[in-house]
Amino acid sequence: IERLTSTKGAMMMKRTVIRGTGRYVPPRLVTNDDLSQWMDTSDEWIRQRTGIEQRYWVPEEGGVGSSDLGLEASKIALQRAGWAPEDLDLIIFATLSPDLFFPGCGCIMQHKLGLAATPALDIRQQCTGFLYGLTTADAYIRSGLANRILLVGAEVHSTGLDISTAGRDVAVIFGDGAGAVCLESLESNEPIGVLGSALHADGKFANSLMVEVGSSRLNPRISHELIDEGRHYPVMDGKAIFKLAVQKLPEVVIEVLKKAGLDLEAVDLLIPHQANLRINQFFAHSMKLPEEKVFNNIQRYGNTTAASIPIAFDEALEMNRIGDGSTVVFLGLGAGLTWGAVVARLGP
Ligand code: ACO
């Protein structure tokens, strides 16, 4: 009770504030023209349909997993927060492309950070992994279960893509990368840190975007036949996902702002998941938002899934598009189907 009470006796609320951010992409730059050498596509098609101009992929020879990219982003975020790995109470790692089928990337990266007992939790919510992770971190902090949390979103897509013409609708979209944020508990009655969250899922669309092999429902989980059929590559009903995104993203932003008691005018920047530039342009148009209020960087990174929002957030901070006192809304939709939004006010 003493910890929850200020000197004046008023109850202080635990809030989740953002202390440091970081991002990392591997050095191998892959342009649209590079992709046209491997499949029947063109720079013009990719730019027109997705907005993407380039993406970064891990080295072709392999050996670099999502935990490696997450580690680099985490080191930057920790350094900016002024924290040592030992300061962490919890690691939350969001990815759809884990180093191993199990155990999760959180455990693997925890060891790479030099830790031996800090709990680590993996989140498997694809493009909304960062939003589910941030909401989970907020719940841990508000309940007093943790005071300092490292939240990471990282993906290595490139080693799992069909880069022949058969896989071109999916392969041109995805990039590798990682973003990380340090989250801390702060006792304050001011509206600061995470102010609201709205998360959703609808499993009836699970097959609209998925990778099947080697799932537990297959016996054997992997075989030459399955590979010959290409069932180890992601399949996506791009049109269905596109339509759901332009419908659900405005709805969930209105929902989260209502929960937080805020108007859209109070928001300085909306940071959407970077799935397709056209989805984000549709979103801005339907919300009657000026272009500069919606942050986009898919042109340079492609769709980095769980990493896309923290990468965009880190870049927006670096570009001074936002800073202390700014109100931001993170939003996204992706495989699951999952979608959501989180509103936060940045502050010292
Ligand atoms: N290069 C050239 N042509 C292509 C390519 C390519 N890379 N890919 C597809 N085409 C062809 C198709 O074969 C088709 O040809 P056809 O007319 O002769 O049949 C034509 O281009 C049009 O294809 P569509 O699939 O209709 O193209 P569309 O405009 O729908 O764009 C895209 C496809 C970019 C995938 C779009 O649907 C999209 O972005 N959807 C949303 C994706 C998304 O948000 N995913 C969720 C996030 S990711 C996650 O959760 C993991």
Side-chain angles (χ1 to χ4, degrees):
I1 288 169
E2 204 177 309
R3 279 187 62 219
L4 292 170
T5 311
S6 78
T7 46
K8 288 179 188 155
M11 285 294 278
M12 296 284 266
M13 280 186 71
K14 276 185 185 291
R15 298 184 180 270
T16 303
V17 292
I18 298 159
R19 290 299 189 210
T21 63
R23 68 177 190 277
Y24 178 79
V25 289
R28 181 179 160 215
L29 177 67
V30 178
T31 64
N32 294 343
D33 287 336
D34 292 331
L35 293 176
S36 340
Q37 293 169 28
W38 308 318
M39 62 185 86
D40 182 10
T41 192
S42 66
D43 179 52
E44 193 193 356
W45 192 97
I46 300 169
R47 278 178 199 250
Q48 269 181 10
R49 304 280 176 141
T50 71
I52 299 166
E53 296 165 16
Q54 60 174 53
R55 74 286 292 139
Y56 296 89
W57 285 0
V58 295
E60 234 178 323
E61 57 271 24
V64 178
S66 295
S67 76
D68 299 301
L69 305 187
L71 178 68
E72 296 307 318
S74 296
K75 283 185 198 162
I76 298 167
L78 286 167
Q79 192 248 326
R80 287 184 181 156
W83 298 358
E86 291 71 23
D87 295 328
L88 297 170
D89 299 322
L90 176 68
I91 294 167
I92 302 179
F93 200 114
T95 187
L96 67 64
S97 49
D99 292 27
L100 301 172
F101 197 75
F102 75 86
C105 267
C107 296
I108 296 168
M109 198 191 76
Q110 182 251 36
H111 173 66
K112 288 176 180 166
L113 280 170
L115 299 169
T118 310
L121 176 69
D122 269 43
I123 300 254
R124 295 199 50 187
Q125 301 318 115
Q126 299 69 245
C127 300
T128 52
F130 182 78
L131 303 170
Y132 272 76
L134 187 51
T135 306
T136 304
D138 187 43
Y140 265 87
I141 284 174
R142 281 177 190 270
S143 65
L145 280 174
N147 284 318
R148 286 182 164 182
I149 300 177
L150 174 65
L151 170 61
V152 186
E155 306 286 359
V156 173
H157 283 298
S158 58
T159 51
L161 298 172
D162 177 2
I163 58 165
S164 73
T165 298
R168 65 183 178 176
D169 59 328
V170 176
V172 300
I173 293 177
F174 291 107
D176 303 338
V181 294
C182 292
L183 302 163
E184 188 170 39
S185 168
L186 177 77
E187 289 183 8
S188 169
N189 283 332
E190 298 300 314
I192 192 159
V194 175
L195 302 179
S197 164
L199 300 177
H200 296 283
D202 187 348
K204 90 168 160 277
F205 296 104
N207 292 353
S208 301
L209 180 48
M210 64 159 184
V211 176
E212 202 182 3
V213 170
S215 58
S216 56
R217 68 184 180 187
L218 296 171
N219 193 5
R221 291 182 182 183
I222 194 157
S223 65
H224 291 295
E225 289 72 32
L226 289 166
I227 290 175
D228 289 345
E229 289 165 23
R231 284 162 69 185
H232 56 305
Y233 290 129
V235 287
M236 177 171 77
D237 181 350
K239 276 200 193 319
I241 304 275
F242 197 107
K243 279 186 200 154
L244 285 160
V246 296
Q247 179 207 332
K248 302 238 178 256
L249 292 175
E251 285 174 10
V252 79
V253 167
I254 292 165
E255 181 189 346
V256 82
L257 290 175
K258 198 171 164 201
K259 275 188 174 181
L262 292 171
D263 293 329
L264 192 55
E265 291 70 48
V267 178
D268 297 294
L269 191 66
L270 291 104
I271 303 183
H273 164 52
Q274 307 289 307
N276 182 320
L277 186 60
R278 285 168 58 219
I279 291 177
N280 292 352
Q281 287 168 339
F282 262 92
F283 165 78
H285 182 73
S286 66
M287 298 292 285
K288 299 187 173 53
L289 287 164
E291 228 169 75
E292 64 275 10
K293 268 214 168 179
V294 180
F295 190 84
N296 286 303
N297 64 4
I298 191 171
Q299 298 91 331
R300 283 171 284 119
Y301 297 105
N303 176 346
T304 58
T305 309
S308 89
I309 295 176
I311 288 177
F313 179 40
D314 185 57
E315 233 182 49
L317 285 164
E318 194 176 271
M319 294 161 82
N320 289 320
R321 295 273 299 269
I322 43 174
D324 286 353
S326 300
T327 300
V328 292
V329 173
F330 306 109
L331 59 138
L333 175 141
L337 188 80
T338 55
W339 67 102
V342 176
V343 56
R345 182 161 298 143
L346 312 182

